[in-house]
mmCIF file of all heavy atoms in Angstrom:
data_model
loop_
_atom_site.group_PDB
_atom_site.id
_atom_site.type_symbol
_atom_site.label_atom_id
_atom_site.label_comp_id
_atom_site.label_asym_id
_atom_site.label_seq_id
_atom_site.Cartn_x
_atom_site.Cartn_y
_atom_site.Cartn_z
ATOM 1 N N PHE A 953 24.455 57.227 6.729
ATOM 2 C CA PHE A 953 25.618 58.118 6.662
ATOM 3 C C PHE A 953 26.302 58.141 5.292
ATOM 4 O O PHE A 953 26.960 59.131 4.965
ATOM 5 C CB PHE A 953 26.627 57.742 7.747
ATOM 6 C CG PHE A 953 26.173 58.129 9.126
ATOM 7 C CD1 PHE A 953 25.745 57.167 10.030
ATOM 8 C CD2 PHE A 953 26.160 59.457 9.513
ATOM 9 C CE1 PHE A 953 25.316 57.526 11.306
ATOM 10 C CE2 PHE A 953 25.736 59.835 10.781
ATOM 11 C CZ PHE A 953 25.308 58.863 11.675
ATOM 12 N N THR A 954 26.142 57.090 4.507
ATOM 13 C CA THR A 954 26.774 57.090 3.180
ATOM 14 C C THR A 954 25.796 57.471 2.079
ATOM 15 O O THR A 954 26.216 57.898 1.003
ATOM 16 C CB THR A 954 27.372 55.710 2.852
ATOM 17 O OG1 THR A 954 26.323 54.757 2.650
ATOM 18 C CG2 THR A 954 28.297 55.235 3.955
ATOM 19 N N GLY A 955 24.508 57.296 2.327
ATOM 20 C CA GLY A 955 23.530 57.567 1.280
ATOM 21 C C GLY A 955 23.507 56.512 0.196
ATOM 22 O O GLY A 955 22.853 56.694 -0.838
ATOM 23 N N ARG A 956 24.180 55.397 0.413
ATOM 24 C CA ARG A 956 24.246 54.322 -0.584
ATOM 25 C C ARG A 956 23.389 53.148 -0.118
ATOM 26 O O ARG A 956 23.574 52.626 0.982
ATOM 27 C CB ARG A 956 25.689 53.858 -0.799
ATOM 28 C CG ARG A 956 26.591 54.933 -1.409
ATOM 29 C CD ARG A 956 28.022 54.450 -1.574
ATOM 30 N NE ARG A 956 28.092 53.325 -2.515
ATOM 31 C CZ ARG A 956 28.402 52.078 -2.157
ATOM 32 N NH1 ARG A 956 28.668 51.791 -0.896
ATOM 33 N NH2 ARG A 956 28.453 51.117 -3.065
ATOM 34 N N VAL A 957 22.452 52.749 -0.987
ATOM 35 C CA VAL A 957 21.586 51.606 -0.714
ATOM 36 C C VAL A 957 21.753 50.634 -1.874
ATOM 37 O O VAL A 957 21.343 50.928 -3.001
ATOM 38 C CB VAL A 957 20.109 52.036 -0.587
ATOM 39 C CG1 VAL A 957 19.212 50.829 -0.330
ATOM 40 C CG2 VAL A 957 19.942 53.066 0.523
ATOM 41 N N THR A 958 22.361 49.491 -1.609
ATOM 42 C CA THR A 958 22.707 48.577 -2.708
ATOM 43 C C THR A 958 22.106 47.190 -2.578
ATOM 44 O O THR A 958 22.344 46.352 -3.427
ATOM 45 C CB THR A 958 24.241 48.427 -2.794
ATOM 46 O OG1 THR A 958 24.734 47.920 -1.551
ATOM 47 C CG2 THR A 958 24.902 49.768 -3.099
ATOM 48 N N ALA A 959 21.337 46.925 -1.533
ATOM 49 C CA ALA A 959 20.770 45.584 -1.350
ATOM 50 C C ALA A 959 19.916 45.211 -2.558
ATOM 51 O O ALA A 959 19.122 46.031 -3.045
ATOM 52 C CB ALA A 959 19.938 45.543 -0.077
ATOM 53 N N PRO A 960 20.047 43.986 -3.059
ATOM 54 C CA PRO A 960 19.332 43.597 -4.282
ATOM 55 C C PRO A 960 17.823 43.572 -4.139
ATOM 56 O O PRO A 960 17.113 43.607 -5.144
ATOM 57 C CB PRO A 960 19.892 42.201 -4.582
ATOM 58 C CG PRO A 960 20.469 41.714 -3.300
ATOM 59 C CD PRO A 960 20.949 42.930 -2.579
ATOM 60 N N TRP A 961 17.318 43.491 -2.914
ATOM 61 C CA TRP A 961 15.866 43.470 -2.737
ATOM 62 C C TRP A 961 15.275 44.878 -2.666
ATOM 63 O O TRP A 961 14.067 45.035 -2.488
ATOM 64 C CB TRP A 961 15.493 42.689 -1.475
ATOM 65 C CG TRP A 961 16.234 43.090 -0.247
ATOM 66 C CD1 TRP A 961 15.922 44.096 0.617
ATOM 67 C CD2 TRP A 961 17.442 42.492 0.249
ATOM 68 N NE1 TRP A 961 16.853 44.173 1.627
ATOM 69 C CE2 TRP A 961 17.791 43.197 1.438
ATOM 70 C CE3 TRP A 961 18.239 41.446 -0.178
ATOM 71 C CZ2 TRP A 961 18.920 42.881 2.179
ATOM 72 C CZ3 TRP A 961 19.355 41.130 0.566
ATOM 73 C CH2 TRP A 961 19.696 41.829 1.728
ATOM 74 N N ILE A 962 16.099 45.901 -2.799
ATOM 75 C CA ILE A 962 15.590 47.279 -2.815
ATOM 76 C C ILE A 962 15.688 47.827 -4.222
ATOM 77 O O ILE A 962 16.790 48.081 -4.726
ATOM 78 C CB ILE A 962 16.385 48.174 -1.840
ATOM 79 C CG1 ILE A 962 16.294 47.622 -0.416
ATOM 80 C CG2 ILE A 962 15.863 49.606 -1.886
ATOM 81 C CD1 ILE A 962 17.092 48.400 0.604
ATOM 82 N N PRO A 963 14.560 48.015 -4.920
ATOM 83 C CA PRO A 963 14.595 48.546 -6.284
ATOM 84 C C PRO A 963 15.160 49.966 -6.297
ATOM 85 O O PRO A 963 15.013 50.714 -5.316
ATOM 86 C CB PRO A 963 13.114 48.546 -6.710
ATOM 87 C CG PRO A 963 12.403 47.708 -5.709
ATOM 88 C CD PRO A 963 13.194 47.756 -4.449
ATOM 89 N N PRO A 964 15.808 50.376 -7.371
ATOM 90 C CA PRO A 964 16.379 51.735 -7.448
ATOM 91 C C PRO A 964 15.367 52.831 -7.119
ATOM 92 O O PRO A 964 15.712 53.812 -6.446
ATOM 93 C CB PRO A 964 16.860 51.824 -8.899
ATOM 94 C CG PRO A 964 17.188 50.401 -9.262
ATOM 95 C CD PRO A 964 16.155 49.564 -8.563
ATOM 96 N N LYS A 965 14.110 52.663 -7.552
ATOM 97 C CA LYS A 965 13.112 53.711 -7.314
ATOM 98 C C LYS A 965 12.714 53.833 -5.841
ATOM 99 O O LYS A 965 12.083 54.814 -5.446
ATOM 100 C CB LYS A 965 11.872 53.462 -8.172
ATOM 101 C CG LYS A 965 11.110 52.192 -7.816
ATOM 102 C CD LYS A 965 9.908 52.014 -8.730
ATOM 103 C CE LYS A 965 9.129 50.754 -8.371
ATOM 104 N NZ LYS A 965 7.959 50.550 -9.258
ATOM 105 N N LYS A 966 13.071 52.832 -5.023
ATOM 106 C CA LYS A 966 12.736 52.858 -3.598
ATOM 107 C C LYS A 966 13.902 53.324 -2.726
ATOM 108 O O LYS A 966 13.745 53.481 -1.515
ATOM 109 C CB LYS A 966 12.303 51.456 -3.139
ATOM 110 C CG LYS A 966 11.005 50.952 -3.745
ATOM 111 C CD LYS A 966 9.808 51.638 -3.115
ATOM 112 C CE LYS A 966 8.500 51.011 -3.576
ATOM 113 N NZ LYS A 966 7.336 51.633 -2.906
ATOM 114 N N ARG A 967 15.066 53.532 -3.299
ATOM 115 C CA ARG A 967 16.247 53.823 -2.486
ATOM 116 C C ARG A 967 16.132 55.163 -1.762
ATOM 117 O O ARG A 967 16.563 55.302 -0.621
ATOM 118 C CB ARG A 967 17.497 53.777 -3.357
ATOM 119 C CG ARG A 967 17.825 52.358 -3.814
ATOM 120 C CD ARG A 967 18.955 52.300 -4.814
ATOM 121 N NE ARG A 967 19.145 50.920 -5.282
ATOM 122 C CZ ARG A 967 19.901 50.583 -6.307
ATOM 123 N NH1 ARG A 967 20.560 51.524 -6.990
ATOM 124 N NH2 ARG A 967 20.014 49.309 -6.665
#
Side-chain angles (χ1 to χ4, degrees):
F953 287 107
T954 69
R956 295 179 63 248
V957 179
T958 59
W961 50 86
I962 301 178
K965 65 181 181 181
K966 294 285 188 177
R967 290 173 184 169

